[in-house]
Amino acid sequence: MVDWNLAVATATRLVRPGPDVSRDEARAVVAELRRHAKASEGHVRGFTRLGTEDTHDTPVLVVDRPGWVRANVAGFRELLKPLLDKMQERRGSTPGGAVLGAVGGKVTGVELGMLLSFLSSRVLGQYETFAPATRELPAGANGGGRLLLVAPNIVHVERELDVQPHDFRLWVCLHEETHRTQFTAVPWLRDHLQGEIQSFLGETEVDPMTVLERVREAAQSLAGGRPEGEEDEGGRSIVEIVQTPAQREILGRLTAVMSLLEGHADFVMDGVGPDVVPTVAEIREKFQQRRAKGASRLDMALRKLLGLDAKLRQYRDGERFVRAVVDQVGMDGFNRVWTSPNTLPTKTEIAKPADWVARVHRKAES
């Protein structure tokens, strides 16, 4: 269904070259990022009060852009396996299914490679929650993920923003280390997310005519030509529009969780920052401006198409939620969010933190 090797080859061929650095400079950047990642563990644990000794099960890898591509292809392959197996079974029972599968797999591989080449120059770091170990990319032996730091992208952005390199690299590590701490300190979180994602994929339509109909509706909506009487889908990406109602419900829950995780990481990054990153205020201001404007019109169009602008809202909305809850009930009170899936905020509560406090704290105290 997907030619994964072709996806890697396509992305590697199309990926932009990184910033111009000497071999010695590159080695120094890698060494500093590793030191910062290690130092971030203590900073994040102390600030969040989320104690864990299991971070040794989640290796820190400093990678280049092709390395990031290979890691994400391995993750996609693992996560999408149940859906692709279902689609393969459905296609195998149709006349000419094997031939269509071979051709479709190559087309999908090229498309995925093009998408990954676009993203590979934009990601600074990533905690890979569902990361199978490969020969080149180790992962946690007991189900832990791995933390990726994309060195050329970090150097590119610190130069673009004209900020202090030492401070910026530590600032990025604080954000990514927060994600690692979230998953190592909250054992049920990985399985919960995986269950939600598999439920989402399980609702995916495998009938080609149904998918084509949804794509047609999406195109009409984006072109302003939706059928009379239908509700405007304005502001939503194609990714959202082609979903089934059941998928939208699951996506609402996933959006709330991702907003929490991303917002928490931003909150921690800025909370720890003043003590260990002297220029954190300057970095935050310049980085927010960069996030908001995008690199170009094409970049903004692609962000919209892929739903990446929704991810930017997750940072903002999630950070406001965390800040409001901590202001009201303190860090220990906020940490009740990690008790179980039932204490995670809903999408509505992300926008109304007081509702979460009322539900979780008043219920616990009654």
Side-chain angles (χ1 to χ4, degrees):
M1 298 300 297
V2 181
D3 189 329
W4 299 105
N5 292 332
L6 183 57
V8 172
T10 301
T12 303
R13 185 174 70 252
L14 296 177
V15 71
R16 298 177 184 177
D20 186 21
V21 295
S22 68
R23 182 170 297 182
D24 288 343
E25 287 175 315
R27 286 174 179 160
V29 170
V30 170
E32 183 173 25
L33 286 172
R34 286 177 176 154
R35 289 196 304 271
H36 285 331
K38 183 64 178 175
S40 295
E41 290 184 34
H43 296 316
V44 170
R45 289 188 199 182
F47 184 80
T48 63
R49 302 176 194 170
L50 293 174
T52 175
E53 299 300 325
D54 294 331
T55 52
H56 64 277
D57 191 37
T58 54
V60 176
L61 306 178
V62 182
V63 298
D64 57 10
R65 290 169 179 173
W68 180 87
V69 167
R70 288 192 293 272
N72 277 266
V73 165
F76 282 143
R77 193 170 189 168
E78 180 78 7
L79 198 59
L80 295 177
K81 188 176 185 303
L83 171 63
L84 295 180
D85 286 348
K86 182 171 74 170
M87 295 178 72
Q88 183 71 36
E89 182 180 349
R90 175 72 176 268
R91 178 169 285 176
S93 64
T94 61
V99 174
L100 288 172
V103 174
K106 292 190 179 301
V107 171
T108 307
V110 170
E111 291 173 341
L112 178 60
M114 293 172 66
L115 171 61
L116 289 171
S117 71
F118 168 75
L119 295 175
S120 67
S121 62
R122 286 158 173 76
V123 177
L124 302 181
Q126 175 183 357
Y127 180 76
E128 278 203 293
T129 315
F130 313 105
T134 68
R135 187 168 53 189
E136 298 174 320
L137 297 161
N142 299 314
R146 58 181 166 231
L147 195 155
L148 305 179
L149 297 168
V150 191
N153 295 349
I154 293 172
V155 172
H156 171 79
V157 173
E158 71 192 24
R159 290 178 177 179
E160 180 184 303
L161 297 181
D162 190 26
V163 292
Q164 213 284 333
H166 171 87
D167 287 2
F168 184 74
R169 294 167 193 175
L170 177 54
W171 189 71
V172 171
C173 288
L174 289 169
H175 182 102
E176 302 308 330
E177 177 57 36
T178 301
H179 287 318
R180 185 163 71 148
T181 297
Q182 289 163 348
F183 283 92
T184 53
V186 185
W188 54 264
L189 186 56
R190 180 184 184 275
D191 289 342
H192 173 71
L193 265 182
Q194 186 172 32
E196 291 281 55
I197 291 170
Q198 292 306 326
S199 295
F200 180 87
L201 295 177
E203 292 289 337
T204 299
E205 298 282 1
V206 293
D207 175 48
M209 293 307 297
T210 302
V211 174
L212 284 174
E213 179 64 19
R214 290 186 179 279
V215 170
R216 183 190 67 79
E217 292 172 1
Q220 285 183 337
S221 175
L222 291 174
R226 67 187 186 282
E228 186 177 354
E230 287 192 6
E231 186 178 341
D232 189 357
E233 303 278 7
R236 291 166 55 195
S237 69
I238 283 182
V239 176
E240 293 172 297
I241 294 170
V242 299
Q243 290 159 5
T244 67
Q247 284 179 315
R248 289 175 189 168
E249 183 178 336
I250 298 168
L251 185 67
R253 297 196 298 268
L254 280 170
T255 298
V257 176
M258 297 312 298
S259 296
L260 170 69
L261 298 179
E262 296 293 359
H264 184 234
D266 266 13
F267 177 77
V268 172
M269 184 168 56
D270 290 343
V272 173
D275 292 331
V276 297
V277 182
T279 60
V280 65
E282 177 191 358
I283 291 172
R284 164 57 77 188
E285 181 181 0
K286 290 183 175 180
F287 195 75
Q288 289 286 56
Q289 291 172 355
R290 182 181 184 274
R291 268 184 184 172
K293 70 180 182 182
S296 65
R297 268 180 104 176
L298 175 61
D299 185 72
M300 293 176 70
L302 285 169
R303 283 190 344 194
K304 176 62 185 173
L305 178 67
L306 299 172
L308 299 182
D309 53 345
K311 186 173 178 63
L312 300 183
R313 289 195 298 273
Q314 287 174 8
Y315 286 105
R316 183 181 65 246
D317 297 344
E319 197 273 342
R320 277 202 298 254
F321 170 83
V322 175
R323 186 173 301 280
V325 172
V326 171
D327 285 347
Q328 190 168 346
V329 296
M331 185 63 74
D332 290 335
F334 165 78
N335 280 341
R336 289 192 189 179
V337 79
W338 312 117
T339 304
S340 75
N342 293 330
T343 56
L344 290 172
T346 64
K347 191 175 179 180
T348 300
E349 289 171 340
I350 286 289
K352 298 180 178 179
D355 289 356
W356 179 87
V357 172
R359 175 172 68 87
V360 173
H361 282 263
R362 290 177 190 168
K363 183 177 180 180
E365 293 162 3
S366 61

